[in-house]
Amino acid sequence: MIEWIPDARELADLELLLSGAFAPLTGFLSVEAAHGVAEHGRLPDGTPWPDPITLALPREIRPDEVRPGDRVTLRDPEGAAVAVLTVRELDDDGHGGCHVSGQVEALDAPVYGPFARLRRTPAEVRKELPEGEILAVTMRGPLDGTALEDVAATAEELDAAIVLMPLVFGEGGPAVVRAALKAADRLPGSQVVAVPLAPRADAEIDLEVREHVARNYGATEHYAGPAPIAIPGPPHRRGLVVFFTGLSGSGKSTIARGLRDTLLERGGRTITYLDGDVVRRMLSAGLTFSREDRDRNIRRIGFVAAEVARHGGLAVCAPIAPYAATRQEVRAMVEEVGADFLLVHVATPLEECERRDRKGLYAKARAGLIPEFTGISDPYEEPDDADLVIDTTGISVERAVGTVLNALTSGGWIR
């Protein structure tokens, strides 16, 4: 049986599909249906629905490996089987990827993470609600004094019971639940139900989805809590990943090591250095140089770097990272944990890299001794989203390192 681990947003949507919070929707939509939803606000059968719910096929699984009727096991990040998807159709998402649609069936109830005891299904909550009006308050951040007064006044006017629904998704989820529990102390008789609803990019659609979920939990009235105020803090206190990419021999590892050494000499930040060759020996031992394994190696580097940055550290990475989509995945990993990402393209031309050939790799690749060698028999996709571009032809290591340091200083990441 085919299996994979959806991303965090897809897992959150899956949990709501399985719990009935997205009813009448009970499965993932196709891209065409999703486009129809976005345009017309309805499912293909005419049922009103505020937002497309889709599931992307992971890149390591080829579309020709999955067929309509296949049963796919969906697992959580710890490997536990959560649900089975029966594939209805596959379609191109228009961005080089593929989506699958189909019905999902629960295998096990998700009971992981902080405040798991508060993540109850709509059916469980509705059984405990009193007769009459129910005011659901969806929260993505704390309720300030004004909002608390509004909720209390609205509940009194309607003679309604209050259900506080912290929308838990990502790193800030536990804080939102704590804020809801604190608000419950000031709203006598209210109860708290944690709902893993990921935010939608469009504010109007996000509000519609919140209202839809609240109704499924038994609400007759909905109050949307104010959006949280994001104060990220100064750059020099935020996590940062400096990610070098370039051909073999371009000078990226030399610059990265020089940057690491300079930052360690200066002090003030915790530095982690992830060189491509070192990671290959330690973290990615056993991987080949196929496209799939190269991508897997870069994702591992990205995961470690994001964990470093999550806790305010500065990670310096220097793999070849030849594929644009994988580099974008790493950027997303880092930004999802609230850290910053600086992509440095060491754009030394192939001719210069081959002229240097310090390790003799290009000569072996030209002789056919190294298959799938980047720049010779395998492509290097030059970044169009680089934050800094350096060509090391004819410049010193000190000057190249200084260029990166200037970018870090002007960005506020170092003082």
Side-chain angles (χ1 to χ4, degrees):
M1 178 182 284
I2 300 170
E3 55 185 46
W4 72 74
I5 299 173
D7 66 24
R9 178 175 293 271
E10 292 166 338
L11 282 170
D13 286 343
L14 174 62
E15 185 172 340
L16 296 178
L17 287 169
L18 297 174
S19 72
F22 277 162
L25 189 62
T26 57
F28 288 98
L29 299 171
S30 68
V31 172
E32 284 81 1
H35 288 167
V37 171
E39 195 171 285
H40 306 297
R42 292 182 178 275
L43 298 180
D45 65 358
T47 304
W49 183 257
D51 186 50
I53 307 295
T54 58
L55 180 67
L57 189 71
R59 291 181 58 201
E60 58 265 26
I61 298 178
R62 298 192 310 273
D64 59 6
E65 295 181 75
V66 184
R67 294 178 175 80
D70 284 351
R71 288 170 61 81
V72 177
T73 300
L74 303 177
R75 297 183 177 275
D76 68 17
E78 296 180 357
V82 177
V84 169
L85 167 77
T86 301
V87 178
R88 182 171 64 247
E89 59 182 302
L90 294 88
D91 49 17
D92 192 314
D93 66 2
H95 302 286
C98 185
H99 283 84
V100 292
S101 61
Q103 189 84 5
V104 291
E105 306 166 49
L107 293 178
D108 197 5
V111 290
Y112 52 84
F115 300 110
R117 65 188 182 280
L118 298 179
R119 286 163 76 155
R120 294 180 288 160
T121 69
E124 292 169 341
V125 172
R126 288 196 303 267
K127 283 182 182 179
E128 299 177 3
L129 294 178
E131 296 291 334
E133 299 293 311
I134 305 297
L135 174 62
V137 181
T138 56
M139 302 168 54
R140 292 209 184 277
L143 297 177
D144 58 23
T146 302
L148 277 170
E149 291 174 4
D150 286 346
V151 170
T154 303
E156 183 178 1
E157 180 182 348
L158 297 171
D159 190 22
I162 300 173
V163 179
L164 298 173
M165 299 175 61
L167 305 177
V168 295
F169 181 77
E171 292 296 301
V176 182
V177 178
R178 291 194 297 271
L181 293 170
K182 184 176 180 180
D185 291 338
R186 298 180 59 182
L187 297 167
S190 60
Q191 61 174 299
V192 176
V193 179
V195 179
L197 179 62
R200 270 51 192 173
D202 185 290
E204 290 186 12
I205 291 178
D206 188 67
L207 179 59
E208 287 185 62
V209 175
R210 289 163 73 164
E211 290 178 342
H212 186 97
V213 170
R215 285 196 300 272
N216 279 329
Y217 272 91
T220 56
E221 297 288 336
H222 173 243
Y223 181 98
I229 299 173
I231 305 177
H236 71 275
R237 294 190 182 278
R238 292 205 299 269
L240 172 67
V241 174
V242 182
F243 194 94
F244 291 87
T245 176
L247 294 169
S248 176
S250 62
K252 63 187 179 302
S253 293
T254 304
I255 301 172
R257 285 194 298 270
L259 176 65
R260 174 202 61 187
D261 294 345
T262 303
L263 292 174
L264 287 173
E265 290 175 8
R266 288 188 174 200
R269 297 216 57 155
T270 301
I271 311 298
T272 299
Y273 177 57
L274 298 168
D275 178 70
D277 291 338
V278 175
V279 169
R280 274 278 178 180
R281 290 197 304 272
M282 305 299 294
L283 188 63
S284 297
L287 294 186
T288 69
F289 286 88
S290 67
R291 174 156 190 157
E292 292 77 12
D293 277 359
R294 289 184 188 188
D295 283 345
R296 190 172 290 113
N297 178 54
I298 299 305
R299 291 191 191 102
R300 289 179 182 180
I301 292 173
F303 173 79
V304 173
E307 288 300 300
V308 169
R310 180 199 299 272
H311 301 290
L314 192 157
V316 179
C317 312
I320 292 175
Y323 308 124
T326 317
R327 294 192 299 262
Q328 290 165 3
E329 284 184 46
V330 174
R331 183 187 288 272
M333 285 184 202
V334 173
E335 293 177 348
E336 281 175 6
V337 302
D340 296 329
F341 184 86
L342 188 78
L343 182 64
V344 181
H345 178 203
V346 183
T348 309
L350 173 63
E351 296 75 16
E352 174 63 15
C353 296
E354 193 165 1
R355 184 192 66 77
R356 298 172 181 175
D357 204 12
R358 183 170 59 87
K359 301 177 184 177
L361 299 178
Y362 284 99
K364 292 179 180 178
R366 291 289 187 190
L369 301 177
I370 303 178
E372 298 179 300
F373 189 81
T374 300
I376 303 299
S377 52
D378 202 68
Y380 176 79
E381 299 173 1
E382 293 202 357
D384 57 12
D385 60 341
D387 302 290
L388 185 64
V389 179
I390 302 173
D391 180 350
T392 64
T393 306
I395 69 171
S396 67
V397 175
E398 291 75 15
R399 180 180 169 188
V401 171
T403 301
V404 182
L405 283 170
N406 288 339
L408 297 185
T409 303
S410 62
W413 290 292
I414 60 173
R415 290 176 167 178

